[in-house]
Amino acid sequence: MIGYRKARPGDALAISAIHVRNFCANNEQGLTDALSKEFLALWTGRLQVDNANQLIQVAQENEVLLGFICVYIREDMRWGSLIDNLHVASGERQKGIASSLMRQAIDWLMTHAEDDAVYLTVLESNTVARSMYERLGGECVETFESDNHAGTRLPNCRYTWTSPRKMVVR
């Protein structure tokens, strides 16, 4: 049975492994030690700090992490609260994990930033994720290029909602 909980510092390695694998798959690039170290440092740092403006929630089954979401309230003056990462391990998709994690993020945002806009960015080429965000009521308001961790620039889409109340998870 899949359970959900707040991430702990000891989850950094599993979270970074899922993040790296998904990043490499979406960017059609091979796994590198440098990238693995970069993501491990990122998640270790995020999980060592108790930040009231941050939620990192994980999905797990039998002590194995299957996915995670990271959200920041009031991250940007213009765009609002940020859904920074949502990742599910490739073999665990189509089980409702991403939707459950989004529901938990929405509940958290409703408690902490109910009237704030919400946004996220996603690679333009990630059509599966983009389709999910559109089903959640997100609107792609711009496409822009940004640096990725592989040293190249890729087109990204910014999805927005006027508030967490507008995010519809089925």
Side-chain angles (χ1 to χ4, degrees):
M1 178 170 205
I2 299 171
Y4 298 88
R5 64 172 172 78
K6 187 174 179 179
R8 301 183 290 248
D11 296 327
L13 183 60
I15 288 173
S16 66
I18 292 170
H19 192 178
V20 167
R21 280 193 295 273
N22 287 355
F23 176 84
C24 291
N26 287 324
N27 285 282
E28 298 177 0
Q29 99 172 31
L31 177 64
T32 65
D33 286 340
L35 187 63
S36 293
K37 288 177 184 174
E38 177 184 343
F39 280 27
L40 179 57
L42 170 77
W43 291 107
T44 298
R46 286 181 176 181
L47 292 169
Q48 286 178 345
V49 176
D50 188 21
N51 182 347
N53 291 335
Q54 170 188 276
L55 171 72
I56 304 175
Q57 197 77 356
V58 298
Q60 69 176 34
E61 186 173 42
N62 299 323
E63 302 300 317
V64 175
L65 259 62
L66 308 176
F68 68 94
I69 193 165
C70 179
V71 183
Y72 292 94
I73 59 171
R74 298 181 183 101
E75 179 67 16
D76 185 274
M77 293 295 291
R78 177 177 180 192
W79 300 110
S81 297
L82 169 65
I83 299 172
D84 184 52
N85 279 275
L86 172 59
H87 290 279
V88 176
S90 61
E92 305 300 329
R93 297 188 182 134
Q94 304 304 315
K95 295 181 179 180
I97 295 170
S99 294
S100 292
L101 289 167
M102 282 295 280
R103 240 184 256 97
Q104 292 169 52
I106 292 166
D107 290 346
W108 184 77
L109 286 166
M110 289 291 292
T111 300
H112 294 87
E114 177 181 18
D115 296 321
D116 282 7
V118 180
Y119 77 103
L120 59 81
T121 62
V122 61
L123 286 172
E124 183 179 49
S125 62
N126 191 343
T127 56
V128 172
R130 291 183 60 203
S131 176
M132 182 181 96
Y133 301 138
E134 289 166 7
R135 282 192 313 273
L136 294 173
E139 178 184 358
C140 180
V141 296
E142 69 175 340
T143 301
F144 61 96
E145 284 195 352
S146 69
D147 293 328
N148 72 4
H149 298 276
T152 59
R153 294 183 63 77
L154 295 172
N156 286 264
C157 297
R158 183 180 317 272
Y159 280 83
T160 64
W161 295 262
T162 56
S163 80
R165 287 185 301 278
K166 300 292 184 178
M167 302 174 83
V168 180
V169 179
R170 292 166 184 40

